[in-house]
């Protein structure tokens, strides 16, 4: 059967490469910057802006990630069956950009802060906007995911195989470069302060910069439009495969009676309608997809780097903005280092000892991910011990009176320890009282105003609201109507102090010496640097698992079903995030370290199951199998109209009268997906 040859217009080249791929690579860099930059601070936005608890924030985070890896199937169907890759990328990029802009708007507290106290008065609006933004982002990023790389491959002609291979290396580099830079910058942008009425952590800036990069990505991609080679949609192989499988299942169910002879494979029941080449290709694809069944458990652990591990970092000692960004950049940096090291050094050395097959590599990758969670559990135990050791007694009005019984008309600055450990902030209660706790009043001749880092303690019934103060050297400005005094205090991560201003306090040059600071809670003692161990183990596992898995899937998939296997691989990521939601909700463990151990144990169990499945797997060469069918003389047979007739033998099966059209369509799909 002759292949359909589509004429390709020649695009301008530079150093043998189509000039059009420059726009595609820049587009991918900006898009990945936008996605990973937004995701780097997403759980923090849920917790500290929307005021959700950690469990619910984790649930929504993994639901979003799962949706991002479910929508590629929709994008592939739309691109191949309806709009084509170019239009699909443009239209869904617009949806993507709108989602990022909506997400940035949702983080502006001033749009609903009618009383100008720094707290949104209509949180429902912010939640609705953020959920709308995340849905549009998931639809956009997932929809264009299977299209951009394939569209880049379409720009090369048949004699440019070497350049095409180099393009995908550059394309992969642009993904990691965008991820690396965004995860380094976005947490720092979040740590800045902004706001019209009250200066707070700048989530609008942290989301706004990724939104701006997505606008740039869209513009750059459209600018290159005149140079692109665009292949029109030819029909989606995913849809064809699903129809073939569905027909085989339905036909087998119709002929389940014992009077019908058994067939070698259940997919052989599709022979009445589909040709043997397609059926053989589906068999090869299903054989690989069957191995995918245990793989989502790896992603269930891997994607918790952006949720549980981020929350773990907030309970540790270190500069949260810079340390978090540094930790998250460990992953792309190690990927860029470990991929060539593994290919050129580690794998050849291991190969000298024993046959380190792709499936064995995948098994080792899962085991390394389990070790990473064991390391996270051990670290969490140390964090819990340090928190227990420094937990202060509960402060009540009565024991405060006992603590300062010798002081009259004192002003006490006291922290609420319940909010410290998650954000490296210091929350204080400001109270004024006399010896007798029955009467609360200000013993000074004038009202006092206490300010620290542009934050003012406002009094309600002689009690101030909770305020968060960042770590480092803090200057407390104490004022009355005429004079002021500056008291300087070094605030450590997670520490708590009682600042006592006695009734004998007087303004003047030595005013700060009259103020006494009592430490109620020691600073966090476990440093963030210890997380690097678990990040290293997880990233090493990712390189061994993910890169090998993609190569294995490509080599074992039939030529016209690379997209089917790609969609199946992305689906394992989505299912992995769904597993996180199920386990986190069903486990209800009180200790975080126990949850880490639970996930590690589940992955070890899955690792054993996968190793058994891999042991019985037989490697195939799809090219040789397809060549055998290509050598056969195509025979046109009319379709069997009555499937209820007993089958006399597999050799007498009838095919539908569309052999040549299906073959040519499959060959064209091969040309588009073999990248």
């Amino acid at each position: 059967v002759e292949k359909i040859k589509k004429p390709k217009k020649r695009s301008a080249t530079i150093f043998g490469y189509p000039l059009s791929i420059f726009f595609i690579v820049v587009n991918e860099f900006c898009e990945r910057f936008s996605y990973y930059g937004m995701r780097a601070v997403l759980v923090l936005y849920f917790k500290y802006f929307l005021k959700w608890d950690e469990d619910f924030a984790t649930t929504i985070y993994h639901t979003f990630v799962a949706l991002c890896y479910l929508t590629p199937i929709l994008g592939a169907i739309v691109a191949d069956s309806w709009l084509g890759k170019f239009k699909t990328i443009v239209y869904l990029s617009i949806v993507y950009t709108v989602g990022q802009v909506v997400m940035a708007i949702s983080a502006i507290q001033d749009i609903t802060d009618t009383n100008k106290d720094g707290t949104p008065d209509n949180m429902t609006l912010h939640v609705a906007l953020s959920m709308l933004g995340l849905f549009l982002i998931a639809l956009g990023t997932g929809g264009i995911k299977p299209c951009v790389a394939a569209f880049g491959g379409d720009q090369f002609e048949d004699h440019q195989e070497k350049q095409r291979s180099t393009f995908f290396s550059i394309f992969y580099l642009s993904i990691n470069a965008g991820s690396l830079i965004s995860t380094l910058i976005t947490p720092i942008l979040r740590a800045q302060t902004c706001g019209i009425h009250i200066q707070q952590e700048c989530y609008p800036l942290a989301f706004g910069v990724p939104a701006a990069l997505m606008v740039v990505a869209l513009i750059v991609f459209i600018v290159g439009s005149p140079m692109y080679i665009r292949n029109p949609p030819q029909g989606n192989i995913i849809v064809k495969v699903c129809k073939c499988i569905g027909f085989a299942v339905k036909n087998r169910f119709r002929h389940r009676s014992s009077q019908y002879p058994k067939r070698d494979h259940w997919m052989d029941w599709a022979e009445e309608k589909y040709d043997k080449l397609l059926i053989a290709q589906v068999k090869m694809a299903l054989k690989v997809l069957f191995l995918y069944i245990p793989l989502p458990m790896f992603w269930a652990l891997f994607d918790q780097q952006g949720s549980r591990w981020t929350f773990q970092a907030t309970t540790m000692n270190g500069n949260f903005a810079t340390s978090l960004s540094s930790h998250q950049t460990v992953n792309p940096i190690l990927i860029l280092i470990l991929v060539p090291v593994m290919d050129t050094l580690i794998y050849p050395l291991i190969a000298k000892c024993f046959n380190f097959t792709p499936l064995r590599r995948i098994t080792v990758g899962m085991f390394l991910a389990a070790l990473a969670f064991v390391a996270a559990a051990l670290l969490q135990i140390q964090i819990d011990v340090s928190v227990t050791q420094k937990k202060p007694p509960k402060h009540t009005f009565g024991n405060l009176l006992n603590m300062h019984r010798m002081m009259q008309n004192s002003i006490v600055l006291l922290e609420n320890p319940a909010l410290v450990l998650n954000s490296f902030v210091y929350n204080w209660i400001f109270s004024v009282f006399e010896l007798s706790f029955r009467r609360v009043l200000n013993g000074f001749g004038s009202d006092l105003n206490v300010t620290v880092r542009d934050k003012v303690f406002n009094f309600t019934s002689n009690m101030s609201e909770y305020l968060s103060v960042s770590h480092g050297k803090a200057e407390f400005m104490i004022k009355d109507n005429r004079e002021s005094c500056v008291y300087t205090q070094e605030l450590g991560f997670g520490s708590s102090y009682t600042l006592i201003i006695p009734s004998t306090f007087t303004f003047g040059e030595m005013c700060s010496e009259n103020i006494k600071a009592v430490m109620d809670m020691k600073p966090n003692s476990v440093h963030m640097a210890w997380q690097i161990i678990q990040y290293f183990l997880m990233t090493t596992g990712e390189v061994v698992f993910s890169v090998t898995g993609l190569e294995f899937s490509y080599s074992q998939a039939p030529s016209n079903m690379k997209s089917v296997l790609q969609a199946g691989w992305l689906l394992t990521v989505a299912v992995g995030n769904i597993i996180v939601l199920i386990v986190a909700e069903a486990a209800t463990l009180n200790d975080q370290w126990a949850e880490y151990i639970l996930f590690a144990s589940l992955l070890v169990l899955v690792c054993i199951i996968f190793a058994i499945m891999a042991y019985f797997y037989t490697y195939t060469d799809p090219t040789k199998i397809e060549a055998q069918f290509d050598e056969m003389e195509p025979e046109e047979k009319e379709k069997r109209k009555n499937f209820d007739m007993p089958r006399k033998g597999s050799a007498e099966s009838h095919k539908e009268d569309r052999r040549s059209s299906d073959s040519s369509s499959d060959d064209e799909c091969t040309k588009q997906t073999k990248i």
Side-chain angles (χ1 to χ4, degrees), residues 450-649:
V450 180
T451 305
V452 57
R453 294 190 181 140
D454 298 327
K455 296 185 178 183
V456 180
F457 291 93
N458 298 315
F459 292 93
T460 303
S461 301
N462 290 332
M463 298 286 287
S464 77
E465 82 288 359
Y466 293 102
L467 288 182
S468 61
V469 182
S470 58
H471 74 283
K473 183 178 292 186
E475 292 186 349
F476 293 86
M477 178 68 69
I478 304 171
K479 297 181 180 180
D480 63 3
N481 295 331
R482 295 167 297 175
E483 300 178 278
S484 64
C485 175
V486 177
Y487 175 78
T488 303
Q489 176 69 38
E490 187 71 27
L491 302 177
F493 290 99
S495 61
S496 170
Y497 297 89
T498 299
L499 190 63
I500 305 171
I501 306 176
S503 58
T504 56
F505 169 80
T506 57
F507 289 98
E509 294 182 0
M510 309 297 291
C511 63
S512 61
E513 295 184 0
N514 295 326
I515 301 174
K516 181 181 180 182
V518 178
M519 178 179 289
D520 297 319
M521 182 182 290
K522 296 180 180 179
N524 295 340
S525 58
V526 182
H527 200 275
M528 283 184 181
W530 286 104
Q531 275 196 324
I532 294 178
I533 298 174
Q534 62 206 55
Y535 273 98
F536 176 80
L537 289 171
M538 180 61 75
T539 305
T540 306
E542 177 195 5
V543 170
V544 178
F545 175 90
S546 183
V547 177
T548 304
L550 288 172
E551 294 175 355
F552 168 79
S553 301
Y554 189 89
S555 65
Q556 296 295 294
S559 58
N560 66 334
M561 295 189 187
K562 307 296 184 183
S563 60
V564 177
L565 271 296
Q566 177 67 13
W569 181 265
L570 295 174
L571 188 62
T572 64
V573 183
V575 175
N577 283 271
I578 295 173
I579 290 175
V580 177
L581 304 180
I582 296 174
V583 175
E585 291 295 329
T588 62
L589 299 174
N590 295 326
D591 297 319
Q592 185 58 54
W593 67 265
E595 183 176 298
Y596 288 147
I597 293 295
L598 174 62
F599 275 105
S601 302
L602 290 175
L603 185 56
V604 170
L605 177 62
V606 168
C607 187
I608 296 173
I609 295 174
F610 181 81
I612 297 173
M613 295 170 62
Y615 179 79
F616 291 100
Y617 181 85
T618 302
Y619 291 85
T620 59
D621 188 345
T623 304
K624 291 183 179 180
I625 296 176
E626 291 172 341
Q628 294 174 0
F629 285 94
D630 289 337
E631 293 173 358
M632 296 179 181
E633 194 71 28
E635 299 177 357
E636 299 293 337
K637 296 182 179 181
E638 62 181 37
K639 295 183 293 183
R640 178 173 296 180
K641 296 181 179 180
N642 186 5
F643 295 131
D644 293 331
M645 294 291 294
R647 177 177 172 85
K648 296 181 179 180

Side-chain angles (χ1 to χ4, degrees), residues 44 84 132 187 198 223 305 345 404 416 431 471 504 516 580 589 654 666:
L44 303 177
L132 174 61
I198 301 295
V223 168
Q305 294 177 93
L345 182 62
H404 312 292
N416 171 20
S431 62
H471 74 283
T504 56
K516 181 181 180 182
V580 177
L589 299 174
H654 293 274
D666 290 343

Side-chain angles (χ1 to χ4, degrees), residues 74 83 92 96-97 103 126 195 217 253 312 339 401 432 488 598 632:
L74 176 63
L83 294 178
L92 289 181
Y96 193 168
T97 303
M103 196 68 194
H126 292 275
F253 180 78
Q312 185 186 60
V339 168
L401 195 62
V432 183
T488 303
L598 174 62
M632 296 179 181

Side-chain angles (χ1 to χ4, degrees), residues 7-205:
K8 282 189 176 182
K9 67 176 182 180
R10 287 185 175 273
S11 114
T13 61
I14 179 171
F15 300 114
Y17 293 88
L19 186 59
S20 56
I21 67 169
F22 167 79
F23 300 94
I24 297 174
V25 169
V26 174
N27 166 270
E28 183 66 12
F29 169 83
C30 295
E31 188 274 326
R32 289 292 87 186
F33 184 106
S34 179
Y35 174 74
Y36 283 107
M38 177 275 303
R39 215 176 83 167
V41 296
L42 187 58
V43 291
L44 303 177
Y45 168 75
F46 289 159
K47 182 171 183 179
Y48 300 121
F49 187 91
L50 298 183
K51 308 300 181 183
W52 292 346
D53 61 66
E54 289 188 12
D55 290 335
F56 188 65
T58 300
T59 298
I60 298 299
Y61 174 85
H62 287 287
T63 301
F64 166 71
V65 175
L67 189 60
C68 289
Y69 286 94
L70 286 172
T71 50
I73 299 176
L74 176 63
I77 294 174
V78 170
D80 291 344
S81 303
W82 180 29
L83 294 178
K85 298 183 185 71
F86 175 78
K87 289 184 178 180
T88 300
I89 294 171
V90 171
Y91 294 158
L92 289 181
S93 291
I94 294 174
V95 173
Y96 193 168
T97 303
V98 172
Q100 289 283 32
V101 172
V102 171
M103 196 68 194
I105 294 174
S106 74
I108 304 175
Q109 70 266 14
D110 295 300
I111 61 177
T112 61
D113 186 12
T114 55
N115 58 4
K116 302 179 181 180
D117 64 347
T119 303
D121 298 319
N122 187 1
M123 191 61 75
T124 302
L125 176 62
H126 292 275
V127 172
L129 287 175
S130 61
M131 293 302 100
L132 174 61
L134 290 177
F135 175 77
L136 295 176
I137 292 171
L139 184 62
T141 187
I144 68 176
K145 195 182 294 290
C147 301
V148 179
F151 187 69
D154 290 343
Q155 307 309 304
F156 295 86
E157 298 181 21
D158 294 338
H159 66 277
Q160 294 177 307
E161 288 292 335
K162 182 178 180 180
Q163 290 87 342
R164 178 182 292 163
S165 176
T166 305
F167 160 73
F168 284 109
S169 298
I170 298 173
F171 188 82
Y172 183 76
L173 179 63
S174 70
I175 293 174
N176 285 276
S179 171
L180 173 64
I181 297 175
S182 65
T183 52
L184 180 65
I185 292 177
T186 310
I188 297 177
L189 296 177
R190 168 195 171 271
Q192 308 303 309
T193 57
C194 61
I196 299 175
H197 308 304
I198 301 295
Q199 296 289 306
Q200 299 185 25
E201 288 82 2
C202 201
Y203 287 102
L205 181 62

